Amino acid sequence: MGKRKNIPGVLFTDTGIAVSQVERAGKGFRSVKSCHFDMPDGAGPKQLPGQIEAFRQFLKANGFKSAKAVVGISAKHVLGCEMDIPPLKDKSVLPGILKLGLEKKSMLSPDDVLIDYSGTLNGDANKIFVVSVLKEYVNSVRSFLEAVNITPLSMTLRSLVCLPDDTAGIYCGVYLWGNSAEIIVYGDGQIKSIQYLPLRSTAGGQKDISARLAVEMQRIGSSQISGEGRLRAFVVGDDNDGRVAKAVGQHENIEIVDCSQPGDIAETGDYCSLAGRLAWQRMSGAKCPIDFLGSHLNGKKESNLKRIIPRVAAACVLVIAIIGYLGFEWYMDARDVKQLTARLEEMSENVASSEEVLERVTFARRWFDGKTKYIDSLRELTLLFPEKGDVWISSLAVDESLNQVITGKAVEETAALDVLDKLEKSKSFTNVKLLYIRQTAKNTKTISFAINYQYGGPQR
């Protein structure tokens, strides 16, 4: 694709949509016009069609014409997880492997999501970070923009507008968006985790928000840094008085650093400046770590020779590769079985005592298998819900590792967020993630939501 003279960045904020058009200026770039479209309070993806005409008039009034744009969305609508990938000789089978792993870990159907990943595959076993988003949400955003003559070139996470310059070691970005915060951890040039934190506006709320983020960053630092190392962190967004950066930087294992800005697009506290950075990244040729419309899974165009290969043969290769992946897992299990068998053979000289031990283990196993861990989990979850019926569960899915997904409804968004807050604070549940929260119908305040978490045992 040839170099474009100008590209607008379209960034979905917590209160509306920021638009900034960036053009080439000599060897650099500059923002020539920018503005912010305010959405009604509480408006979500379901309300986008109702804002089309207002947004069209807004763009016209501010001098924006039809164009191809770069789009940034909230981490509220995505799900991320780390995956171990076995050695691959043919990277074309990676999409199938990721879809299998995603379905196993998140219980989402691969047909319902778009996937991209951050990491490098070098032929050996690798650990990469996989990010997925519902196709329904992407289609709603794309339809909304195309209705006002804006064609998305790419769609990424809005917080990826500011990336660390030095990719060595562990970095952490804290992105403040007014009603929410997003924390992204980078390790050696790739994403390691993405976290979305809804923030409530209350009396003295700014102080509480600073303290909450400081505690969360301390937890990340403790888990990511060992020995005398320090977690380097930068803060972007609504922190004009530096309160959040100061609270986070008080801990001895966290170092606050600057995230340098390009050319004339320098301020990070302005949503329009951040929207301009989206366009700048695209025009400067920088490859965004995550792009749901131009995923790393798409790869390069096939050669003419590959195009003449029958699709049936390609499908066979994919099936064989997936079987190979399952065979890799079977090999690891078989190796463990072989080691255990060798240990049993070493015990053959004392068969009588071994059989006695096995009998005791067999007897005890019946007791352990009979433990009501699923009932305990359901009890702990029930205690987190209020007695009044303003929020309820529609479905509960749980696997053998007690990884669970609940879907439900509430009479208003705050009721669902209260349950999410209790889950995050509970010692019985870990890895709490909000999958989505949205209004069920246009003329009702009732919302639906989905939460993913891991049950770790009853509180003591």
Side-chain angles (χ1 to χ4, degrees), residues 176 178 181 199-201 204-214 244:
L176 306 175
L199 305 176
R200 298 183 180 86
S201 298
Q206 184 63 33
K207 181 178 180 181
D208 295 337
I209 290 171
S210 301
R212 180 181 178 186
L213 290 173
V244 172

Side-chain angles (χ1 to χ4, degrees), residues 11 18-20 22 31 34 161 261 264-278:
L11 189 146
V19 184
S20 178
V22 175
S31 176
S34 59
V161 296
Q261 308 301 307
D264 298 332
I265 311 169
E267 298 180 6
T268 58
D270 186 331
Y271 292 151
C272 292
S273 296
L274 295 176
R277 283 188 55 85
L278 281 176

